[in-house]
Amino acid sequence: MSHFHLAQLNIAKAKDELTSIVMKGFVDRLNEINALADDSLGFVWRLQTEEGDATSFKIFDDPSLILNMSVWESIESLRNYVYKSVHVELIRGKNEWFHKMNTPHQVLWHVPVGHIPTVREGEARLLHLEEHGPTEHAFTFAKPYIK
């Protein structure tokens, strides 16, 4: 049994306010997609408010950035949720709601079992990935680091 879980942070730059018609297709699916994560094999934790989402959390002092952060038992469990579930439909539709980013928008890293990462921790990992590329400290699905 591993003494580590996998944390992930992803960000997206919204094309408009969450209350806009532009963002409606994304916002309308948030509860469904969050519930899917909560019920997925290997899911441990996700950043959320009392309302159950993370849209009010901010990162990099940019109000147009939406973030998602979660912890999973393994990279395989996260990969299954992201790419082999209904979640992939949101990935396919991302160009409707979000601007293309020229910097890394997702980072993965290991955390000790029981550790709940903070937004600032995720922000630092994403910056590390941008500055140094994939390492043991901050990596990607394409270039994972397995503990």
Side-chain angles (χ1 to χ4, degrees):
M1 182 175 182
S2 175
H3 299 288
F4 293 93
H5 282 157
L6 182 80
Q8 75 81 30
L9 168 79
N10 64 75
I11 61 173
K13 190 167 186 70
K15 288 188 172 180
D16 206 343
E17 299 288 326
L18 290 179
T19 55
S20 73
I21 193 71
V22 170
M23 298 300 293
K24 184 174 177 17
F26 172 75
V27 172
D28 285 353
R29 297 210 55 195
L30 276 176
N31 288 339
E32 168 197 1
I33 296 305
N34 287 335
L36 178 64
D38 294 346
D39 294 336
S40 292
L41 186 64
F43 171 81
V44 175
W45 169 88
R46 70 180 167 86
L47 180 68
Q48 61 183 302
T49 62
E50 287 184 16
E51 293 76 31
D53 68 50
T55 57
S56 64
F57 291 93
K58 297 303 170 207
I59 193 164
F60 297 120
D61 297 322
D62 184 341
S64 69
L65 287 177
I66 296 172
L67 72 112
N68 174 282
M69 189 163 57
S70 56
V71 175
W72 296 78
E73 289 178 356
S74 67
I75 195 168
E76 293 81 13
S77 57
L78 176 59
R79 188 186 324 264
N80 285 337
Y81 165 71
V82 172
Y83 298 113
K84 296 180 181 179
S85 75
V86 175
H87 177 272
V88 79
E89 293 173 10
L90 270 77
I91 294 172
R92 289 185 190 125
K94 69 183 177 189
N95 292 334
E96 292 178 48
W97 310 304
F98 302 106
H99 294 288
K100 182 169 176 50
M101 297 184 68
N102 295 323
T103 58
H105 56 86
Q106 181 182 58
V107 63
L108 310 175
W109 71 99
H110 294 288
V111 295
V113 170
H115 175 74
I116 301 299
T118 66
V119 172
R120 293 298 159 240
E121 181 181 345
E123 190 176 77
R125 299 286 177 145
L126 194 58
L127 287 172
H128 187 275
L129 177 64
E130 183 177 356
E131 292 174 15
H132 304 284
T135 66
E136 177 180 358
H137 187 74
F139 50 93
T140 64
F141 277 122
K143 294 196 176 191
Y145 181 87
I146 308 298
K147 274 200 181 251

